Amino acid sequence: MMKSRTDAAPGPRHLTLRILRSSPTEGVAPHWQDFHVEEAEGMTLFIALNEIRETLDPALQFDFVCRAGICGSCGMLINGKPGLACRSLTRDLGPLITLAPLPVFELIGDLSVNTGKWMRGTAERLETWIHSTREADLTAIETPMEPELAEAIYELDRCIECGCCVAGCGTLRMREEFVGAIGLNKIARFRLDPRDERSDDDFYQLIGDDTGVFGCMSLLACHDVCPKELPLQTQIAFLRRKMVVNGR
């Protein structure tokens, strides 16, 4: 039996991606540009952006590497909220989708920003590596660690440095020197690590002021937008308690 016209399956949606275009190096001022694509089953914003670049505008700038929510390269503002293009299904969004580059970071062009420059500067400033006076022995067997502790360290090490927490941070809009949730998360990670010989006083020198843990206004947008669902709220509260005790 043939289906009537009213019984026919609805066709694919037609999406409008409204993208904030700009190119500081070429002197192109920020402006909105609309692109129209036909939605496919299981389409992500990453797929839609690639379709635009392949068929409509090869000059469109955005970043990607893994396409699986691991590298953190495709962070952008999606309808005003930081997120990853490769993890955002178009079916969960309306027919009009606005895309803009993440704020705070240096703009390269269109949706591409230099998160690496900010991340490296923060890492150097907070010395986010294991500090040890022991001579490294590359032939030695790795020191055993309790599974619970190893799991706790791994949980904080899952950060992919996508910049979403930085872009969503209200404190960073007012304090440019604030280390952000990502910086505090890294300090919490190395404070847990028994191989790091630094004391709480050492960590206090790094984050015990308004540019560190005492500058956070606890708006917790970082916690809400983290694509890896890291316990940022818990870690900030934990560090604040420890630094208050140390600063007395």
Side-chain angles (χ1 to χ4, degrees):
M1 180 178 177
M2 296 182 61
K3 291 185 178 180
S4 67
R5 296 179 66 89
T6 56
D7 293 334
R13 289 196 307 169
H14 291 274
L15 305 175
T16 298
L17 272 66
R18 182 163 294 167
I19 301 175
L20 187 61
R21 307 292 302 274
S22 63
S23 179
T25 57
E26 298 177 3
V28 179
H31 63 282
W32 293 101
Q33 183 174 358
D34 288 357
F35 295 94
H36 306 285
V37 298
E38 185 177 285
E39 187 175 38
E41 182 67 26
M43 177 177 270
T44 63
L45 283 178
F46 163 77
I47 294 174
L49 287 169
N50 263 293
E51 183 174 321
I52 291 172
R53 188 152 67 181
E54 291 174 0
T55 63
L56 300 175
D57 188 347
L60 178 64
Q61 297 183 74
F62 64 96
D63 301 315
F64 70 93
V65 178
C66 74
R67 300 173 290 177
I70 298 172
C71 71
S73 299
C74 64
M76 59 188 67
L77 290 183
I78 303 168
N79 290 340
K81 181 179 178 180
L84 299 181
C86 70
R87 294 281 296 272
S88 301
L89 292 167
T90 57
R91 70 185 181 207
D92 297 331
L93 303 167
L96 172 62
I97 305 169
T98 61
L99 302 176
L102 293 178
V104 179
F105 303 105
E106 177 184 336
L107 178 64
I108 296 173
D110 298 335
L111 303 174
S112 176
V113 296
N114 191 348
T115 55
K117 181 178 179 180
W118 194 94
M119 297 299 174
R120 176 167 181 169
T122 300
E124 291 176 348
R125 174 182 166 189
L126 297 180
E127 302 179 16
T128 54
W129 56 83
I130 291 176
H131 288 56
S132 175
T133 57
R134 288 169 288 183
E135 187 74 23
D137 183 357
L138 300 182
T139 64
I141 298 175
E142 187 174 356
T143 304
M145 185 181 296
E146 289 297 325
E148 295 79 7
L149 179 56
E151 182 65 27
I153 293 173
Y154 169 74
E155 174 69 8
L156 303 185
D157 252 343
R158 291 193 302 107
C159 173
I160 58 175
E161 298 189 351
C162 62
C164 287
C165 66
V166 175
C169 179
T171 302
L172 262 165
R173 303 299 179 89
M174 295 180 289
R175 297 190 178 105
E176 293 185 1
E177 296 301 313
F178 182 55
V179 299
I182 188 170
L184 297 176
N185 181 72
K186 287 182 179 294
I187 289 294
R189 177 254 182 270
F190 284 100
R191 188 185 179 280
L192 281 177
D193 200 317
R195 297 166 296 183
D196 196 309
E197 298 173 358
R198 285 176 289 183
S199 66
D200 276 354
D201 184 61
D202 295 323
F203 290 123
Y204 185 87
Q205 300 306 313
L206 295 171
I207 61 167
D209 57 17
D210 284 348
T211 68
V213 72
F214 297 124
C216 175
M217 297 188 297
S218 301
L219 300 176
L220 301 179
C222 57
H223 187 90
D224 295 336
V225 302
C226 177
K228 306 304 286 186
E229 298 182 349
L230 294 176
L232 299 177
Q233 177 181 358
T234 302
Q235 296 309 314
I236 292 172
F238 167 77
L239 284 176
R240 183 172 285 169
R241 290 195 301 270
K242 293 298 182 182
M243 294 302 103
V244 164
V245 172
N246 195 75
R248 288 177 179 173

Coordinates of all heavy atoms in Angstrom, one line a residue, residues 60-95:
L60 N 37.3 29.4 5.0 CA 36.8 29.4 6.3 C 37.8 28.8 7.3 O 38.3 27.7 7.0 CB 35.5 28.6 6.4 CG 34.9 28.4 7.8 CD1 34.4 29.8 8.4 CD2 33.7 27.5 7.8
Q61 N 38.1 29.5 8.4 CA 39.2 29.0 9.3 C 38.5 28.4 10.6 O 37.8 29.1 11.2 CB 40.1 30.1 9.7 CG 40.9 30.7 8.5 CD 41.9 31.8 9.0 OE1 42.9 31.5 9.6 NE2 41.6 33.0 8.6
F62 N 38.9 27.2 10.9 CA 38.5 26.6 12.2 C 39.5 25.4 12.4 O 40.2 25.0 11.4 CB 37.1 26.1 12.2 CG 36.8 24.9 11.2 CD1 36.8 23.6 11.6 CD2 36.5 25.2 9.9 CE1 36.6 22.6 10.7 CE2 36.2 24.2 9.0 CZ 36.2 22.9 9.4
D63 N 39.7 25.0 13.6 CA 40.7 24.0 13.9 C 40.1 22.6 14.3 O 39.0 22.5 14.8 CB 41.6 24.5 15.1 CG 42.2 25.8 14.8 OD1 42.8 26.0 13.7 OD2 42.2 26.7 15.7
F64 N 40.8 21.6 13.9 CA 40.5 20.2 14.3 C 41.7 19.3 14.1 O 42.6 19.6 13.4 CB 39.3 19.7 13.5 CG 39.6 19.4 12.0 CD1 40.0 18.1 11.6 CD2 39.6 20.4 11.0 CE1 40.4 17.9 10.3 CE2 39.9 20.1 9.7 CZ 40.3 18.9 9.4
V65 N 41.7 18.2 14.9 CA 42.7 17.2 14.7 C 42.0 15.8 14.8 O 42.0 15.1 13.9 CB 43.8 17.3 15.8 CG1 44.8 16.2 15.6 CG2 44.5 18.7 15.6
C66 N 41.5 15.5 16.0 CA 41.1 14.1 16.3 C 39.7 13.8 15.9 O 39.3 12.7 15.6 CB 41.3 13.8 17.8 SG 40.0 14.6 18.8
R67 N 38.8 14.8 15.9 CA 37.4 14.6 15.6 C 36.6 13.7 16.6 O 35.6 13.2 16.3 CB 37.2 14.1 14.2 CG 37.7 14.9 13.1 CD 37.7 14.3 11.8 NE 38.6 13.2 11.7 CZ 38.7 12.4 10.6 NH1 37.9 12.6 9.6 NH2 39.6 11.4 10.6
A68 N 37.2 13.5 17.8 CA 36.7 12.6 18.8 C 36.6 13.2 20.2 O 36.5 12.4 21.2 CB 37.4 11.3 18.8
G69 N 36.7 14.5 20.3 CA 36.7 15.1 21.7 C 37.9 14.8 22.5 O 37.8 14.8 23.8
I70 N 39.0 14.6 21.9 CA 40.3 14.2 22.6 C 41.3 15.3 22.5 O 42.0 15.7 23.5 CB 40.8 12.9 22.1 CG1 39.9 11.8 22.4 CG2 42.2 12.6 22.8 CD1 40.3 10.5 21.8
C71 N 41.4 16.0 21.4 CA 42.5 16.9 21.2 C 42.1 18.3 21.7 O 43.0 19.1 22.0 CB 42.9 17.0 19.7 SG 41.6 17.8 18.6
G72 N 40.8 18.7 21.7 CA 40.4 20.0 22.2 C 40.6 21.1 21.2 O 40.3 22.3 21.5
S73 N 40.9 20.8 19.9 CA 41.2 21.9 19.0 C 40.0 22.6 18.5 O 40.1 23.8 18.1 CB 41.9 21.3 17.8 OG 43.1 20.7 18.1
C74 N 38.8 22.0 18.5 CA 37.7 22.6 17.8 C 36.7 23.3 18.8 O 35.5 23.4 18.5 CB 36.9 21.5 17.0 SG 36.1 20.2 18.1
G75 N 37.3 23.9 19.9 CA 36.5 24.6 20.8 C 36.0 25.9 20.1 O 36.8 26.6 19.4
M76 N 34.8 26.3 20.4 CA 34.2 27.6 19.9 C 33.0 27.9 20.6 O 32.5 27.1 21.4 CB 33.9 27.4 18.4 CG 33.0 26.3 18.0 SD 32.8 26.1 16.2 CE 34.4 25.4 15.8
L77 N 32.5 29.1 20.4 CA 31.2 29.5 21.0 C 30.1 29.0 20.2 O 30.0 29.4 19.0 CB 31.1 31.0 21.2 CG 32.0 31.7 22.2 CD1 31.7 33.2 22.3 CD2 31.8 31.1 23.6
I78 N 29.2 28.1 20.7 CA 28.1 27.5 20.0 C 26.8 28.1 20.6 O 26.5 27.8 21.7 CB 28.1 26.0 20.1 CG1 29.5 25.5 19.6 CG2 27.0 25.4 19.4 CD1 29.7 24.0 19.9
N79 N 26.2 29.0 19.8 CA 25.0 29.7 20.4 C 25.3 30.4 21.7 O 24.6 30.4 22.7 CB 23.8 28.7 20.6 CG 23.2 28.3 19.3 OD1 23.4 28.9 18.2 ND2 22.5 27.1 19.3
G80 N 26.5 31.0 21.7 CA 27.0 31.7 22.9 C 27.6 30.9 24.0 O 28.1 31.5 25.0
K81 N 27.7 29.6 23.9 CA 28.2 28.8 25.0 C 29.4 28.0 24.5 O 29.4 27.4 23.4 CB 27.2 27.8 25.4 CG 27.6 26.9 26.6 CD 26.5 26.0 27.0 CE 26.9 25.0 28.1 NZ 25.8 24.1 28.5
P82 N 30.6 28.0 25.2 CA 31.7 27.3 24.8 C 31.5 25.8 24.7 O 30.8 25.2 25.5 CB 32.8 27.5 25.9 CG 32.3 28.8 26.6 CD 30.8 28.8 26.5
G83 N 32.0 25.2 23.6 CA 31.8 23.8 23.4 C 32.7 23.3 22.3 O 33.4 24.1 21.6
L84 N 32.7 22.0 22.1 CA 33.5 21.3 21.0 C 32.6 21.0 19.8 O 31.6 20.4 19.9 CB 34.1 20.0 21.5 CG 35.1 20.1 22.7 CD1 35.7 18.8 23.0 CD2 36.2 21.1 22.4
A85 N 33.1 21.5 18.6 CA 32.3 21.2 17.4 C 32.1 19.8 17.1 O 31.1 19.3 16.6 CB 33.0 21.9 16.2
C86 N 33.1 19.0 17.4 CA 33.1 17.5 17.1 C 32.2 16.8 18.0 O 31.8 15.6 17.7 CB 34.5 16.9 17.1 SG 35.2 16.8 18.7
R87 N 31.8 17.4 19.2 CA 30.9 16.7 20.1 C 29.5 17.3 20.1 O 28.7 16.8 20.9 CB 31.5 16.8 21.5 CG 32.9 16.1 21.8 CD 32.7 14.7 22.0 NE 31.9 14.4 23.2 CZ 32.5 14.3 24.5 NH1 33.8 14.4 24.6 NH2 31.7 14.1 25.5
S88 N 29.3 18.2 19.2 CA 28.0 18.9 19.2 C 27.1 18.4 18.0 O 27.5 18.7 16.9 CB 28.2 20.4 19.1 OG 28.9 20.9 20.2
L89 N 26.1 17.7 18.3 CA 25.2 17.2 17.2 C 24.2 18.3 16.8 O 23.6 18.9 17.6 CB 24.4 15.9 17.7 CG 25.2 14.7 18.0 CD1 24.4 13.7 18.8 CD2 25.7 14.1 16.7
T90 N 24.1 18.4 15.5 CA 23.2 19.5 15.0 C 21.7 19.2 15.4 O 20.9 20.1 15.5 CB 23.3 19.6 13.5 OG1 23.0 18.4 12.9 CG2 24.7 20.1 13.1
R91 N 21.4 17.9 15.6 CA 20.0 17.6 15.9 C 19.6 18.1 17.3 O 18.4 18.2 17.6 CB 19.8 16.1 15.9 CG 20.5 15.3 17.0 CD 20.4 13.8 16.8 NE 21.1 13.1 17.8 CZ 21.5 11.9 17.7 NH1 21.4 11.2 16.5 NH2 22.1 11.2 18.7
D92 N 20.6 18.4 18.1 CA 20.4 19.0 19.5 C 20.3 20.5 19.4 O 20.1 21.1 20.5 CB 21.5 18.5 20.4 CG 21.5 17.0 20.6 OD1 20.5 16.4 20.5 OD2 22.6 16.5 20.9
L93 N 20.4 21.1 18.3 CA 20.4 22.5 18.1 C 19.3 22.9 17.2 O 18.7 22.1 16.5 CB 21.8 23.0 17.6 CG 23.0 22.6 18.4 CD1 24.3 22.9 17.6 CD2 23.0 23.4 19.7
G94 N 18.9 24.2 17.2 CA 17.9 24.7 16.4 C 18.3 24.8 14.9 O 19.5 24.6 14.6
P95 N 17.4 25.3 14.0 CA 17.8 25.4 12.6 C 18.8 26.6 12.4 O 19.4 26.6 11.3 CB 16.5 25.6 11.9 CG 15.6 26.2 13.0 CD 16.0 25.5 14.3

